[in-house]
Amino acid sequence: MRKLWEAICALPHRGSATALEAQMAQQLKDYLARLGADISLEVQTFQAPRSYGPELILISLLLAVGSLGGLWWLALLGTYGFWAHFSGWWVPWRRFFDRYPSQNVLAQTGQGHKTLVLMAHFDTAKSFFLYHPKQVRFFRRNFLINAVLATALPFGALVPVVSQLLGLYFLVQAALLTLREFREPYVNGANDNATGVAVAVALFKELTKDPLPDYRVILALTGSEEVGAKGAEHLARSGRVPPDALVLNIDNVGKGELFYATGEGMLVYHAYLGVLLEQARTIPGAQPLAYRLAFFDTRPFAARNIPCLTLIRLENGTPPHWHWPSDRPDGVDWGAVEETLNYARTLVRQLA
């Protein structure tokens, strides 16, 4: 497990829908191909953006221009775009941003009429000043301020003074996001999410040698999670995961206290359901968490009422080194990774 993690971290980054993400996908496919002939492999390709910035710039400009020009209908479109971006809803401009190739690497083992999906994303994110270690604890508060202002803006656009202030605010937001696109690097992602990939693959390898009775197990290593769970959304739409499957997602497990999420949602909250959640409540070593800080790859599955669970480690409410250049191998506590594998193994084995 550690050797695989080191190989993943050896690349400078695995930025969503970049050439290095594609290179890592090929390395993961080659690695899984060596596990044995009883494993079937598949690579799903789809289109995705390389950053969430351009779409948020458009949304900020819609809000700014609508407010500054007193165009409530344009501001309302920006409000919908804001909610849609953070909730995974459809927007008419999506195809203009989803322009770059990305991929999911899938492997399957075992026989049975039940399905268990082990999922972890392997791409990495661009940094931003909001993720600075001294600022990141305010990330949720800053997001909620933007959400309230974006929601109220169509009404504020009808009041001259208010419309000017709100318009200028979102114009500044657009400028800051534009600077991010030109200046900020992709992070290495040793914790987010090379650790999750290492744990998911290690558990999958164990299940190929000692199968889970009556289960087929799908390992889903997803691309472009950091730009809107694009890989997970494509997987959910592909029909490869049946509605009664169990989805265990592993994300950011290299340091901190272990939690199992009971649901997620930055704006619209989706409560998890199913036997994995019920069993997690009975296993010592992890605490329950209603996750509102960001989204996981489980979002499209939870929205479809497919039973899910996500394991994550946090320090002071946030993943350590989250989306910051310090997310490198020396920031990972390997003992925490091994403890996560032990917890996940116990959780999965109880399905038998």
Side-chain angles (χ1 to χ4, degrees):
M1 181 169 67
R2 183 156 189 165
K3 288 183 178 179
L4 174 61
W5 172 74
E6 290 172 347
I8 297 171
C9 297
L11 290 180
H13 68 78
R14 305 174 300 282
S16 305
T18 65
L20 287 179
E21 187 207 60
Q23 181 178 334
M24 178 48 57
Q26 185 61 51
Q27 290 181 221
L28 291 169
K29 181 185 176 183
D30 294 343
Y31 179 89
L32 294 170
R34 294 193 292 270
L35 295 185
D38 57 340
I39 296 172
S40 60
L41 287 174
E42 177 185 350
V43 175
Q44 291 184 325
T45 58
F46 56 92
Q47 299 296 111
R50 288 178 172 169
S51 169
Y52 61 71
E55 185 173 355
L56 284 183
I57 292 169
L58 172 63
I59 292 168
S60 297
L61 289 175
L62 289 173
L63 291 166
V65 175
S67 187
L68 291 171
L71 305 173
W72 66 268
W73 56 270
L74 190 62
L76 185 61
L77 180 60
T79 299
Y80 172 78
F82 186 94
W83 278 76
H85 180 86
F86 292 104
S87 303
W89 301 343
W90 175 85
V91 289
W93 52 74
R94 186 62 47 80
R95 64 189 180 92
F96 295 107
F97 298 107
D98 293 356
R99 298 188 296 115
Y100 303 98
S102 186
Q103 55 281 306
N104 297 329
V105 179
L106 308 181
Q108 181 176 313
T109 188
Q111 302 293 328
H113 68 281
K114 300 178 183 178
T115 302
L116 171 66
V117 180
L118 302 177
M119 186 164 60
H121 76 89
F122 63 90
D123 64 312
T124 60
K126 271 181 174 283
S127 190
F128 196 29
F129 76 94
L130 291 176
Y131 300 114
H132 189 283
K134 293 183 179 179
Q135 298 292 329
V136 71
R137 67 183 184 276
F138 304 118
F139 184 88
R140 177 66 181 168
R141 184 197 66 183
N142 294 335
F143 172 77
L144 289 177
I145 290 173
N146 283 340
V148 169
L149 293 179
T151 303
L153 194 141
F155 305 98
L158 301 175
V159 181
V161 176
V162 175
S163 67
Q164 298 300 305
L165 291 175
L166 290 177
L168 289 173
Y169 177 84
F170 281 102
L171 198 60
V172 170
Q173 297 290 309
L176 291 174
L177 286 164
T178 301
L179 285 175
R180 172 184 184 265
E181 291 308 302
F182 287 104
R183 296 176 55 182
E184 299 299 334
Y186 290 104
V187 302
N188 177 259
N191 183 35
D192 184 11
N193 187 33
T195 57
V197 172
V199 170
V201 171
L203 185 54
F204 179 78
K205 287 175 64 176
E206 291 181 12
L207 293 174
T208 64
K209 298 176 182 178
D210 184 10
L212 197 62
D214 208 24
Y215 274 90
R216 67 178 180 124
V217 180
I218 298 174
L219 174 67
L221 305 178
T222 60
S224 296
E225 187 266 359
E226 298 287 10
V227 292
K230 300 290 185 177
E233 181 66 35
H234 181 81
L235 177 60
R237 291 180 178 180
S238 71
R240 292 283 281 107
V241 178
D244 60 349
L246 304 177
V247 180
L248 177 59
N249 182 52
I250 305 169
D251 200 346
N252 280 281
V253 292
K255 193 177 182 181
E257 184 179 0
L258 183 62
F259 292 88
Y260 62 88
T262 58
E264 65 173 291
M266 298 180 74
L267 289 171
V268 178
Y269 185 77
H270 299 286
Y272 293 164
L273 50 84
V275 66
L276 286 174
L277 176 60
E278 295 168 5
Q279 290 179 177
R281 298 185 192 279
T282 69
I283 302 173
Q287 299 298 316
L289 171 72
Y291 193 70
R292 306 301 300 262
L293 184 66
F295 54 80
F296 295 126
D297 260 345
T298 40
R299 184 178 71 182
F301 298 96
R304 292 168 170 81
N305 293 320
I306 295 175
C308 301
L309 191 74
T310 289
L311 301 181
I312 188 172
R313 288 185 179 271
L314 304 176
E315 281 188 335
N316 301 317
T318 60
H321 309 287
W322 191 37
H323 295 178
W324 198 247
S326 58
D327 187 7
R328 302 193 59 80
D330 57 2
V332 169
D333 174 7
W334 192 249
V337 181
E338 293 178 328
E339 289 172 7
T340 304
L341 174 60
N342 291 335
Y343 184 91
R345 179 190 298 118
T346 302
L347 180 67
V348 166
R349 286 298 175 187
Q350 284 197 5
L351 294 174

